[in-house]
Amino acid sequence: MTSQSQGIQQLLQAEKRAKDKLEEAKKRKGKRLKQAKEEATAEIDHYRLQREKQFRSKQTNVMGSQGNLSSKIEEQTTETIQNLKSSYHRNMENMMKKLLSTICDIRPEIHPNFRHAV
């Protein structure tokens, strides 16, 4: 009987050691997962910073050329406005004469649809 109780005690101790080893393995696994997650986060942050630097450099290149475009557009707009003003001053007097002659020179006529009452 003592040998059976010793065997049972050994089995219980072995079971306890196995349980402890499983718990220890779970803890190590949890630590490794946490470490891997931290490394992945650090790598993602590094990659993000690198891509942001590339984006900023491309953006400054593009914005620089857009600055040149805006100055060209402004020059073209100023030139167009000057052309319109000169055209206005050239044609204003002729247009006013035509407008006044149309308004003031009235020629009364009978409408073609008007019938004389007989």
Side-chain angles (χ1 to χ4, degrees), residues 5 19 30 35 46-47 51 55 59-60 84 88-89:
S5 72
K19 191 181 210 183
Q35 182 182 6
H46 176 70
Y47 181 74
R51 295 299 286 181
F55 173 74
Q59 186 179 24
T60 54
L84 288 173
Y88 166 76
H89 289 297

mmCIF file of all heavy atoms in Angstrom, residues 5 19 30 35 46-47 51 55 59-60 84 88-89:
data_model
loop_
_atom_site.group_PDB
_atom_site.id
_atom_site.type_symbol
_atom_site.label_atom_id
_atom_site.label_comp_id
_atom_site.label_asym_id
_atom_site.label_seq_id
_atom_site.Cartn_x
_atom_site.Cartn_y
_atom_site.Cartn_z
ATOM 1 N N SER A 5 0.830 4.415 -2.447
ATOM 2 C CA SER A 5 0.697 5.818 -2.058
ATOM 3 C C SER A 5 1.929 6.598 -2.493
ATOM 4 O O SER A 5 1.824 7.767 -2.875
ATOM 5 C CB SER A 5 0.436 5.957 -0.569
ATOM 6 O OG SER A 5 1.578 5.663 0.172
ATOM 7 N N LYS A 19 2.596 20.886 -14.732
ATOM 8 C CA LYS A 19 1.739 22.076 -14.691
ATOM 9 C C LYS A 19 2.592 23.327 -14.548
ATOM 10 O O LYS A 19 2.357 24.341 -15.232
ATOM 11 C CB LYS A 19 0.759 21.947 -13.527
ATOM 12 C CG LYS A 19 -0.344 22.951 -13.520
ATOM 13 C CD LYS A 19 -1.216 22.700 -12.295
ATOM 14 C CE LYS A 19 -2.633 23.075 -12.513
ATOM 15 N NZ LYS A 19 -3.444 22.899 -11.310
ATOM 16 N N GLY A 30 4.118 34.473 -23.633
ATOM 17 C CA GLY A 30 3.521 35.809 -23.494
ATOM 18 C C GLY A 30 4.574 36.901 -23.593
ATOM 19 O O GLY A 30 4.369 37.928 -24.248
ATOM 20 N N GLN A 35 7.263 41.125 -26.647
ATOM 21 C CA GLN A 35 8.497 41.648 -27.220
ATOM 22 C C GLN A 35 8.372 41.791 -28.740
ATOM 23 O O GLN A 35 8.774 42.805 -29.317
ATOM 24 C CB GLN A 35 9.663 40.732 -26.869
ATOM 25 C CG GLN A 35 11.004 41.223 -27.370
ATOM 26 C CD GLN A 35 12.120 40.234 -27.031
ATOM 27 O OE1 GLN A 35 11.861 39.154 -26.527
ATOM 28 N NE2 GLN A 35 13.347 40.629 -27.321
ATOM 29 N N HIS A 46 9.360 53.502 -37.278
ATOM 30 C CA HIS A 46 10.529 53.864 -38.070
ATOM 31 C C HIS A 46 10.153 53.992 -39.549
ATOM 32 O O HIS A 46 10.541 54.958 -40.225
ATOM 33 C CB HIS A 46 11.636 52.811 -37.885
ATOM 34 C CG HIS A 46 12.836 53.047 -38.732
ATOM 35 N ND1 HIS A 46 13.708 54.087 -38.515
ATOM 36 C CD2 HIS A 46 13.306 52.379 -39.822
ATOM 37 C CE1 HIS A 46 14.658 54.046 -39.428
ATOM 38 N NE2 HIS A 46 14.435 53.017 -40.233
ATOM 39 N N TYR A 47 9.403 53.042 -40.060
ATOM 40 C CA TYR A 47 8.966 53.065 -41.459
ATOM 41 C C TYR A 47 8.088 54.281 -41.731
ATOM 42 O O TYR A 47 8.235 54.947 -42.763
ATOM 43 C CB TYR A 47 8.214 51.773 -41.792
ATOM 44 C CG TYR A 47 7.740 51.694 -43.217
ATOM 45 C CD1 TYR A 47 8.627 51.446 -44.253
ATOM 46 C CD2 TYR A 47 6.389 51.862 -43.530
ATOM 47 C CE1 TYR A 47 8.190 51.366 -45.566
ATOM 48 C CE2 TYR A 47 5.949 51.788 -44.836
ATOM 49 C CZ TYR A 47 6.860 51.537 -45.848
ATOM 50 O OH TYR A 47 6.419 51.468 -47.143
ATOM 51 N N ARG A 51 8.817 57.257 -44.421
ATOM 52 C CA ARG A 51 7.877 57.610 -45.495
ATOM 53 C C ARG A 51 7.430 59.070 -45.382
ATOM 54 O O ARG A 51 7.238 59.747 -46.397
ATOM 55 C CB ARG A 51 6.657 56.685 -45.463
ATOM 56 C CG ARG A 51 6.968 55.227 -45.770
ATOM 57 C CD ARG A 51 7.537 55.045 -47.140
ATOM 58 N NE ARG A 51 6.477 55.213 -48.111
ATOM 59 C CZ ARG A 51 6.618 55.113 -49.398
ATOM 60 N NH1 ARG A 51 7.792 54.837 -49.915
ATOM 61 N NH2 ARG A 51 5.598 55.286 -50.201
ATOM 62 N N PHE A 55 7.775 61.897 -48.179
ATOM 63 C CA PHE A 55 6.602 62.678 -48.593
ATOM 64 C C PHE A 55 6.889 64.165 -48.499
ATOM 65 O O PHE A 55 6.556 64.933 -49.409
ATOM 66 C CB PHE A 55 5.395 62.303 -47.734
ATOM 67 C CG PHE A 55 4.193 63.159 -47.982
ATOM 68 C CD1 PHE A 55 3.444 63.005 -49.134
ATOM 69 C CD2 PHE A 55 3.814 64.135 -47.070
ATOM 70 C CE1 PHE A 55 2.340 63.798 -49.372
ATOM 71 C CE2 PHE A 55 2.715 64.923 -47.291
ATOM 72 C CZ PHE A 55 1.981 64.756 -48.449
ATOM 73 N N GLN A 59 6.878 66.778 -51.434
ATOM 74 C CA GLN A 59 5.928 67.885 -51.328
ATOM 75 C C GLN A 59 6.638 69.218 -51.532
ATOM 76 O O GLN A 59 6.126 70.093 -52.229
ATOM 77 C CB GLN A 59 5.238 67.836 -49.962
ATOM 78 C CG GLN A 59 4.127 68.842 -49.803
ATOM 79 C CD GLN A 59 3.461 68.721 -48.440
ATOM 80 O OE1 GLN A 59 4.057 68.228 -47.492
ATOM 81 N NE2 GLN A 59 2.239 69.174 -48.348
ATOM 82 N N THR A 60 7.833 69.379 -50.937
ATOM 83 C CA THR A 60 8.551 70.643 -51.127
ATOM 84 C C THR A 60 8.965 70.812 -52.582
ATOM 85 O O THR A 60 8.929 71.922 -53.114
ATOM 86 C CB THR A 60 9.795 70.710 -50.225
ATOM 87 O OG1 THR A 60 10.613 69.562 -50.451
ATOM 88 C CG2 THR A 60 9.415 70.785 -48.765
ATOM 89 N N LEU A 84 -7.638 93.697 -71.858
ATOM 90 C CA LEU A 84 -9.065 94.012 -71.803
ATOM 91 C C LEU A 84 -9.296 95.507 -71.582
ATOM 92 O O LEU A 84 -10.197 96.098 -72.191
ATOM 93 C CB LEU A 84 -9.746 93.198 -70.705
ATOM 94 C CG LEU A 84 -9.911 91.701 -70.984
ATOM 95 C CD1 LEU A 84 -10.434 90.997 -69.745
ATOM 96 C CD2 LEU A 84 -10.843 91.483 -72.157
ATOM 97 N N TYR A 88 -11.155 97.990 -74.121
ATOM 98 C CA TYR A 88 -12.299 98.770 -73.640
ATOM 99 C C TYR A 88 -12.142 100.235 -74.031
ATOM 100 O O TYR A 88 -13.070 100.852 -74.567
ATOM 101 C CB TYR A 88 -12.407 98.627 -72.122
ATOM 102 C CG TYR A 88 -13.327 99.622 -71.470
ATOM 103 C CD1 TYR A 88 -14.708 99.480 -71.540
ATOM 104 C CD2 TYR A 88 -12.808 100.719 -70.791
ATOM 105 C CE1 TYR A 88 -15.556 100.394 -70.941
ATOM 106 C CE2 TYR A 88 -13.644 101.636 -70.188
ATOM 107 C CZ TYR A 88 -15.011 101.475 -70.263
ATOM 108 O OH TYR A 88 -15.847 102.384 -69.673
ATOM 109 N N HIS A 89 -10.968 100.794 -73.780
ATOM 110 C CA HIS A 89 -10.754 102.217 -74.091
ATOM 111 C C HIS A 89 -10.785 102.483 -75.598
ATOM 112 O O HIS A 89 -11.249 103.546 -76.027
ATOM 113 C CB HIS A 89 -9.423 102.697 -73.491
ATOM 114 C CG HIS A 89 -9.448 102.796 -71.998
ATOM 115 N ND1 HIS A 89 -10.276 103.646 -71.316
ATOM 116 C CD2 HIS A 89 -8.748 102.123 -71.051
ATOM 117 C CE1 HIS A 89 -10.099 103.510 -70.016
ATOM 118 N NE2 HIS A 89 -9.159 102.578 -69.816
#
